[in-house]
Amino acid sequence: MPAKPKPAFPLPAAVHPGEADLIAAALANLADDTAKLVYADWLDERADPRGPLLQQFVTAHRAGTKLPALKAAPKPWCDLLGLTLTAALRKTDLAPKTDGFLALARPTIAYTTAKAAEKALPVGASKFGGRPDLPSDVAWPRHGDEPLSFLGQFNLAELRPSPVARELPAAGVLSAFALYRGDGDDDFPDGSWRLFYFPDPAALARRDFDDDLEAVSRFPACRVTFADALTVPKWDSPWAAELEALGVGEYGEPFADVYFDLTPGAHLLGHPSPIQGDTLGSKDVRHLLTICGNEHTGWEFGDGGALYFTLSDADLTAGRFDRVKMHMDCG
């Protein structure tokens, strides 16, 4: 039986530090092709087939000629560098404004879940549901007499291969809890949720569920998988004026198709993908995390809603996760 052909663009187990620097330079402004071409040369010098593809793509985009196919290249890589967005806009009346959209784009880390045996997930590993990993001196969080539900935790060291994660600490665990009664209640008053940052994963231990936590508020354990992606702001966001100048009002439907095809719901950093309205309020507020309804854990927030965790740009830079704010947006 013949061996299966190897993919033309295998994904590396970890990104070379030099490559991560070059990707970060390109992400500083995806509308500036210079950094992409420098990165393409670096890849080409290492006989990486992504190098010629990136060179050809940038050249074709500049000339307005046919773009090379992206099917053989890793989708997360194409998404992150704006190639997927460029190709999608090329098919619409917004194609002449592509550089404007690229300039507004922000990288993100999308995540997906799959059910897993909790014993297979090491203490401190990224996970959804199951039992949380907490320091011994941290009590199970409560809202009044009610214990909060453990939603999930993110081990930041697992994100380090991504150049997007440079805005986050190199290590530590973010852990999210929220009041969950399973009755569709969409009210999250002060104290009904927590986002912890534990800088030392070695100090964590798996904690049994609080005795008062109802069965409906306990969720099955899930493994979390991450992938780089790209986000653009929604039309009702602090960038509404810039989007309007790019013609979103005139060509609303084509942009909506591109937006919803490319924007992940569950993700860290990047632009949020609100269901209704603006979740930021101003350009100096950053999206940290979105937790959506999840088929593997079984939780739902309101009528198809999601939880949005935000903080100021300065607090993100300083790692002040104690200043994070959260609210739910739903249909």
Side-chain angles (χ1 to χ4, degrees):
M1 185 176 182
K4 293 182 179 179
K6 294 182 179 180
F9 299 87
L11 276 172
V15 176
H16 185 286
E19 181 176 1
D21 290 341
L22 291 166
I23 294 175
L27 292 175
N29 182 3
L30 285 174
D32 181 0
D33 291 330
T34 303
K36 291 180 193 170
L37 291 174
V38 171
Y39 174 37
D41 288 342
W42 185 92
L43 291 170
D44 196 22
E45 290 169 0
R46 286 154 181 80
D48 189 316
R50 293 176 298 165
L53 171 65
L54 186 54
Q55 291 171 337
Q56 294 163 16
F57 194 97
V58 169
T59 300
H61 171 55
R62 283 180 168 176
T65 57
K66 183 179 180 181
L67 300 173
L70 301 173
K71 291 182 180 179
K75 185 177 184 302
W77 180 80
C78 293
D79 291 350
L80 188 62
L81 288 172
L83 309 188
T84 306
L85 175 59
T86 299
L89 288 171
R90 175 65 74 86
K91 300 175 184 178
T92 75
D93 291 331
L94 292 166
K97 306 294 182 65
T98 296
D99 285 348
F101 287 105
L102 289 172
L104 293 178
R106 281 182 175 175
T108 187
I109 301 174
Y111 64 87
T112 55
T113 60
K115 285 188 178 179
E118 188 161 49
K119 62 183 179 182
L121 301 173
V123 171
S126 298
K127 57 182 280 191
F128 264 31
R131 294 164 175 80
D133 301 327
L134 298 171
S136 59
D137 60 348
V138 173
W140 191 286
R142 306 175 77 88
H143 176 60
D145 294 332
E146 294 182 87
L148 305 186
S149 292
F150 171 63
L151 301 181
Q153 62 191 36
F154 298 87
N155 187 307
L156 301 184
E158 295 176 20
L159 305 180
R160 294 313 293 171
S162 169
V164 185
R166 293 183 172 201
E167 292 195 275
L168 298 170
V173 172
L174 289 173
S175 186
F177 291 75
L179 187 64
Y180 191 88
R181 301 187 180 108
D183 56 5
D185 187 357
D186 58 2
D187 184 23
F188 284 92
D190 290 345
S192 64
W193 62 274
R194 301 282 196 286
L195 184 73
F196 295 102
Y197 171 59
F198 303 124
D200 183 12
L204 305 179
R206 192 140 296 165
R207 183 76 59 85
D208 285 336
F209 289 118
D210 187 288
D211 291 340
D212 295 332
L213 193 67
E214 300 290 340
V216 71
S217 305
R218 305 181 183 195
F219 309 110
C222 295
R223 188 182 309 278
V224 182
T225 303
F226 302 102
D228 291 329
L230 194 68
T231 58
V232 291
K234 203 174 181 181
W235 40 89
D236 47 358
S237 74
W239 290 268
E242 289 87 341
L243 290 170
E244 187 64 28
L246 291 172
V248 167
E250 186 177 358
Y251 303 107
E253 187 172 343
F255 176 74
D257 291 341
V258 170
Y259 176 87
F260 287 113
D261 283 346
L262 297 179
T263 302
H267 62 291
L268 298 110
L269 303 174
H271 290 288
S273 53
I275 299 165
Q276 294 191 59
D278 174 22
T279 64
L280 298 178
S282 67
K283 292 179 180 178
D284 61 355
V285 174
R286 297 292 304 278
H287 167 257
L288 175 65
L289 169 66
T290 296
I291 298 180
C292 305
N294 189 288
E295 63 176 333
H296 298 121
T297 60
W299 63 52
E300 292 289 344
F301 304 110
D303 182 13
L307 306 182
Y308 296 85
F309 297 81
T310 61
L311 74 171
S312 73
D313 191 57
D315 286 339
L316 176 60
T317 300
R320 292 299 306 268
F321 300 111
D322 57 314
R323 295 180 176 175
V324 168
K325 297 181 180 179
M326 189 278 282
H327 79 276
M328 190 187 75
D329 185 25
C330 63

